[in-house]
Amino acid sequence: MKSVQERAYGKLNLTLDVLGKRDDGYHDMCMIMQTVSLSDLVTVTLTEEDGWVCSCDHEAIPQGGKNLAWKAAEAFFEAYGKRPEHLLIDIQKQIPVQGGMAGGSADAAAVLRALNVLHGTPYTAEELADIGSAVGSDVPYCVIGGTALAEGRGEIISKLPPLPDCYFVLVKPEFSVSTPALFKKLDESADGAHPDTQCAIAALQKKNLHGLCRCMTNVFQPVLSKDFPVIDEICARLVDLGAERACLTGTGSVVFGVFTQRDIAEDAVLNLSKDYTVFLAENV
Ligand code: C5P
């Protein structure tokens, strides 16, 4: 029995732009992504019995073949050319489910990394990311992690200079959103404050956190806030509590505030915890 554990880090969108709809039904994206310390723990074990089992301590996560982690294992062994009879994937969840933090994709990426280690590292990170692209648009980024630009469907990844150290207060309102439904709403909407991605990249190159914060925008936010004004309310509250900037991540529903000082971020966590599920995280 051989076992490998991997941390599956959640992601935030420091910027998120949708450039247009494609013929294949997907949208062309341009997003600055950042992994954060809030993470799931994924354990992959090559066993001698029980077939394939995928278990998770969160009731909303599918346990079998519908789980992205399972699909990632299928994709790995298809590329590798040899599929084991027995495999155990265990996921301990911390990343909020349906939060726009790519929790499922992070787990899938962790499975790819773990299987790569278990098989003597046959693939580079770029090759693993390529294997992951069929599993989900965010999986290639989750394989690579750090600060990066994601383009195309989300699967074309370019490394960016690392985000200067800061603290994130992550707030999860109760509701969750269907990603395809929100893309459709965006297509039909005239709203859309687009981020200035080039300005954000220039700020990263200068290690200028304030400058970067000024460029943080998510094109989904005005569309989602129409139905869920709580998104903008939480952003305003985070700024009142000392955040440099607050923004929606992905298609939501998690909202994050960027803080430069830990004690101020901790006070914000205490304040917002009265009303919401809240986490403190750092960039990784
Ligand atoms: O690739 P993934 O399975 O994560 O995408 C989920 C859904 O999100 C797609 O079926 C599509 O409706 C939408 N999507 C999109 N454009 C992207 C990524 C996702 O329209 N670039």
Side-chain angles (χ1 to χ4, degrees):
M1 199 167 92
K2 282 198 295 185
S3 209
V4 166
Q5 269 192 340
E6 283 281 331
R7 284 253 154 231
Y9 295 105
K11 68 89 178 147
L12 296 177
N13 291 98
L14 303 181
T15 64
L16 190 158
D17 205 0
V18 179
L19 306 180
K21 194 164 180 195
R22 314 182 342 172
D23 292 341
D24 62 3
Y26 283 90
H27 292 75
D28 271 321
M29 314 292 291
C30 184
M31 322 180 262
I32 300 182
M33 322 279 265
Q34 176 64 50
T35 34
V36 295
S37 51
L38 184 65
S39 57
D40 298 343
L41 187 61
V42 177
T43 310
V44 180
T45 309
L46 295 171
T47 57
E48 267 102 56
E49 52 194 27
D50 293 336
W52 279 38
V53 179
C54 180
S55 61
C56 180
D57 61 358
H58 192 295
E59 74 280 359
I61 305 295
Q63 305 258 317
K66 284 200 177 135
N67 194 306
L68 281 190
W70 182 298
K71 290 184 185 166
E74 297 268 20
F76 181 91
F77 291 117
E78 200 177 304
Y80 192 64
K82 217 166 65 186
R83 191 183 193 278
E85 261 183 65
H86 311 288
L87 183 73
L88 179 59
I89 301 170
D90 180 65
I91 302 166
Q92 289 174 39
K93 268 267 153 222
Q94 263 202 299
I95 303 170
V97 175
Q98 292 208 302
M101 292 186 66
S105 303
D107 296 342
V111 166
L112 292 174
R113 286 195 303 265
L115 286 174
N116 202 34
V117 172
L118 283 166
H119 292 81
T121 324
Y123 301 115
T124 63
E126 287 70 26
E127 286 167 337
L128 269 193
D130 202 35
I131 293 170
S133 70
V135 180
S137 303
D138 282 337
V139 177
Y141 165 71
C142 291
V143 170
I144 308 277
T147 312
L149 185 70
E151 295 175 285
R153 203 161 50 85
E155 86 287 17
I156 304 168
I157 310 301
S158 322
K159 279 271 193 192
L160 290 173
L163 178 72
D165 286 345
C166 59
Y167 303 94
F168 294 105
V169 174
L170 311 171
V171 184
K172 171 78 177 81
E174 281 293 306
F175 70 90
S176 38
V177 197
S178 148
T179 298
L182 198 60
F183 270 105
K184 192 157 177 285
K185 276 209 159 155
L186 184 72
D187 291 337
E188 291 161 358
S189 152
D191 287 343
H194 294 269
D196 185 341
T197 312
Q198 287 314 316
C199 153
I201 292 173
L204 278 170
Q205 280 159 347
K206 288 185 210 134
K207 303 190 188 309
N208 178 356
L209 184 63
H210 296 280
L212 175 68
C213 282
R214 277 199 298 276
C215 306
M216 277 183 193
T217 300
N218 180 335
V219 79
F220 285 118
Q221 188 163 336
V223 182
L224 191 63
S225 295
K226 264 194 186 157
D227 290 335
F228 300 100
V230 69
I231 293 291
D232 286 346
E233 281 162 31
I234 296 170
C235 282
R237 210 163 136 188
L238 280 161
V239 170
D240 275 351
L241 290 165
E244 294 281 319
R245 181 84 167 190
C247 201
L248 180 77
T249 179
T251 50
S253 59
V254 168
V255 170
F256 65 95
V258 184
F259 291 76
T260 50
Q261 281 173 266
R262 189 180 186 107
D263 53 344
I264 297 180
E266 283 172 347
D267 286 349
V269 170
L270 277 182
N271 184 302
L272 286 154
S273 297
K274 289 180 232 150
D275 302 309
Y276 304 103
T277 306
V278 188
F279 307 88
L280 181 62
E282 293 170 43
N283 36 324
V284 287

